[in-house]
Amino acid sequence: MGLQPSCPGPEVVLLEPRQLHDCRAVIEAVRAGKTVVVNLAAMASSSGQRLIDLACGGISAMDGQALRLADAVFLFAPALTPIHSA
């Protein structure tokens, strides 16, 4: 039997998009109140940049947050999710 969390917290979704169309999954997850970590390692640099540009626009329209974690890794979160950098 697996461990069940006693108090479920916010959901975090990890995505490794393969095509530009996968941007929709990022925006829909944030719209649903989830935090999304996007790893662009599987995409060409130019396509990955375009995906991030589109995602940032969609997230911004919802007053969400975007944060670059590494060269090809980004975090997108709903407006009320606290994000603290150390």
Side-chain angles (χ1 to χ4, degrees):
M1 180 180 224
L3 295 175
Q4 297 291 326
S6 60
C7 178
E11 187 173 346
V12 176
V13 178
L14 303 174
L15 294 176
E16 291 186 352
R18 306 244 181 244
Q19 57 187 350
L20 188 58
H21 183 71
D22 294 335
C23 178
R24 179 176 216 143
V26 175
I27 295 169
E28 292 297 325
V30 173
R31 183 178 289 145
K34 301 171 186 173
T35 297
V36 181
V37 176
V38 177
N39 181 352
L40 297 174
M43 292 187 77
S45 178
S46 60
S47 296
Q49 182 61 54
R50 181 73 177 133
L51 183 139
I52 294 303
D53 290 345
L54 290 170
C56 283
I59 301 306
S60 177
M62 295 184 282
D63 292 327
Q65 306 169 75
L67 180 67
R68 183 178 181 178
L69 301 178
D71 283 340
V73 181
F74 295 81
L75 181 136
F76 296 97
L80 299 178
T81 299
I83 297 175
H84 306 282
S85 59

